[in-house]
Amino acid sequence: MSKVAKHLSACTSVLVGKAATVDGSTLIARNDDTFLPLTPQRFYVHPAEHDQPKRTWVSNQNGFTAPIPSDGYRYMATPNVEVDKEGVYAESGFNEKNVAMSATESVYGNPAALAFDPLVANGLAEDSLQTMVLPYINSARDGVRYLGNLIKEYGSPEGNGVLFSDHDEVWYMEIVTGHHWVAQRIPDDAYAVTANQVAIQQVTFDDPDNFMYSEGIQEFVTTNHLNPDQDGWNFRHIFGTSTEKDRHYNTPRVWFGQHVLNPEIEQDPQSSDLPFICRTSHKISVEDVEYILSSHYNETQYDPLGPGDGADKLKFRPIAMNRTQNSHVLQLRNDVPADRSAIFWLNFGVPAFSPYVPFFANATDTDPSYSQTPVHLDDVSAYWMYRKMSMIVESHYVQFIEQDTDYVTAAKQDLRTHVATALAGAKDLTGDALTAYLTDQNHQVVADMRQVTTQLTNDLIEKGLTLSHLTFNMDKNL
């Protein structure tokens, strides 16, 4: 298996338009799942670059090579720690123009389409994608256009779903063959959940406000007789897959996300026809999205940690996993000034057991406990702190889950308060003073969460010491 392939067959994504959220924010969110349970990541801010000398990007995973522009915006990233071994995989973040990007959701084209436009072995892959795009785009729509041009020039070695958002628009782009792709704007009043399967359905080619696509894609489909439907142009049917693996690995995750947001709708978790664009009667919050990404079919018979039948508990791949290296919700608020509106909600633990910590994107650095993650477990870094706590909770799930739930619940309240208090304190600040203040606030929330998380971990370890099987009840007087 190639190094690039190790990152495939993973991730779950949620996208929400601004009229569908409780506060008018746009939201894009994803679980970054990797092949192995431990692929340590760090969270840092890459500074803006201006008038740089001519440079070339070379992927150490597949040899992709391309020039790097001389000017680029400041941006946040969550790359791998072992770059030489695992590749960069910058994955998720904002740039200083308040454009959010998350890359990628692995998707798979079908053999019929790939036969006529095969993948390009040394094309633009996930390990390079975020770094090649996010510093150079000015809007979500611009991100689709910019990436589309790169795919046209260099091709793609894999199927990728890419999420973009800004204050006004949310876009989902699916690259499914060596050179062909479609992107759809999520309507303002709608949401979408995707999970490793081509998701976009009917494409309207004369609607440039809501669809973008690769050059020549219609002719490609017609010439090669790829449309299986009597009517319409369904991207999922033409380019996607519908296999037994999909129905156990992929569609159940989409079903559960839609079940959370539309519990009144009865659907089959193994259906290949679950809708891409969805609407719900209630407003969607950051916490709703966090719940989906941190879930494992909670309160259903498919929960691997629940009381259900053994066969059902192992039937479907859960959303939150031990190999989820980071889970994130990228929020762009429209009820505050733009210079303080972008919030990166980041979860570095197993999402089922850990909180999403908010970081203002208008910042110049991150706390060293996030930016300097070591390869192996330590007592300093945030990545290892949250993963250690997650492992302890799961090791005695029945005994520890209530205490962990109380911790996460309290953290949600405290972190919401932190955001509100920080924004109140920034009321009269602008420019560099605001950026410095928000950077300090990000450092403060890290310190606060370290204190409560360390206390929980210590409490659980003490409690765990009383649960050993190497014990014997005896008279206390002996």
Side-chain angles (χ1 to χ4, degrees), residues 161-434:
V162 186
L163 296 70
F164 294 99
S165 66
D166 54 34
H167 281 286
D168 294 317
E169 297 187 341
V170 175
W171 283 84
Y172 184 60
M173 178 182 187
E174 293 187 308
I175 305 161
V176 288
T177 66
H179 301 88
H180 284 300
W181 55 270
V182 164
Q184 183 171 0
R185 180 177 183 241
I186 308 302
D188 290 346
D189 65 345
Y191 74 89
V193 181
T194 69
N196 300 137
Q197 191 176 19
V198 176
I200 295 172
Q201 295 175 300
Q202 291 295 332
V203 177
T204 305
F205 289 98
D206 59 356
D207 183 8
D209 289 339
N210 295 294
F211 290 93
M212 287 189 275
Y213 44 87
S214 53
E215 182 179 334
I217 192 171
Q218 291 172 275
E219 295 80 3
F220 173 79
V221 169
T222 300
T223 300
N224 295 302
H225 313 293
L226 296 176
N227 191 344
D229 296 334
Q230 294 285 359
D231 300 297
W233 207 96
N234 188 307
F235 186 64
R236 186 190 300 177
H237 292 173
I238 295 168
F239 285 95
T241 60
S242 178
T243 65
E244 183 176 358
K245 178 181 177 181
D246 288 326
R247 288 182 279 279
H248 284 270
Y249 195 86
N250 300 328
T251 62
R253 288 180 280 149
V254 176
W255 165 80
F256 187 77
Q258 294 181 3
H259 170 72
V260 169
L261 297 176
N262 287 101
E264 75 282 2
I265 299 177
E266 291 289 335
Q267 297 183 122
D268 182 352
Q270 295 184 283
S271 170
S272 294
D273 295 316
L274 296 172
F276 174 53
I277 300 299
C278 301
R279 292 173 173 84
T280 182
S281 60
H282 74 273
K283 298 288 188 176
I284 298 171
S285 67
V286 168
E287 286 82 5
D288 290 330
V289 176
E290 291 175 354
Y291 177 77
I292 292 170
L293 293 183
S294 63
S295 66
H296 38 88
Y297 306 113
N298 305 54
E299 300 182 78
T300 77
Q301 68 267 39
Y302 308 117
D303 185 351
L305 300 176
D309 177 78
D312 281 343
K313 291 168 67 172
L314 300 177
K315 190 172 185 178
F316 302 140
R317 200 216 98 158
I319 294 175
M321 302 187 76
N322 68 332
R323 58 188 176 93
T324 301
Q325 302 306 321
N326 91 66
S327 182
H328 52 270
V329 183
L330 305 182
Q331 179 187 23
L332 279 159
R333 295 177 60 165
N334 283 304
D335 60 343
V336 297
D339 57 7
R340 64 208 67 192
S341 62
I343 303 177
F344 192 135
W345 297 85
L346 178 59
N347 188 327
F348 255 172
V350 176
F353 310 119
S354 307
Y356 289 75
V357 181
F359 296 89
F360 292 101
N362 185 4
T364 54
D365 68 11
T366 59
D367 189 87
S369 64
Y370 276 86
S371 63
Q372 300 176 18
T373 306
V375 173
H376 297 292
L377 188 146
D378 70 347
D379 293 321
V380 177
S381 66
Y383 175 89
W384 288 111
M385 176 182 73
Y386 286 113
R387 301 199 83 76
K388 177 167 55 177
M389 183 271 290
S390 299
M391 184 279 294
I392 291 170
V393 172
E394 188 175 359
S395 68
H396 290 290
Y397 181 80
V398 173
Q399 293 88 354
F400 290 173
I401 188 57
E402 183 175 355
Q403 196 168 347
D404 177 73
T405 300
D406 290 344
Y407 153 79
V408 173
T409 300
K412 287 179 179 178
Q413 178 178 331
D414 292 342
L415 294 171
R416 277 274 186 172
T417 300
H418 163 79
V419 170
T421 302
L423 288 174
K427 183 169 59 115
D428 298 321
L429 299 177
T430 59
D432 292 344
L434 174 65

Side-chain angles (χ1 to χ4, degrees), residues 424-442:
K427 183 169 59 115
D428 298 321
L429 299 177
T430 59
D432 292 344
L434 174 65
T435 302
Y437 170 81
L438 294 178
T439 302
D440 287 343
Q441 291 299 306
N442 289 349

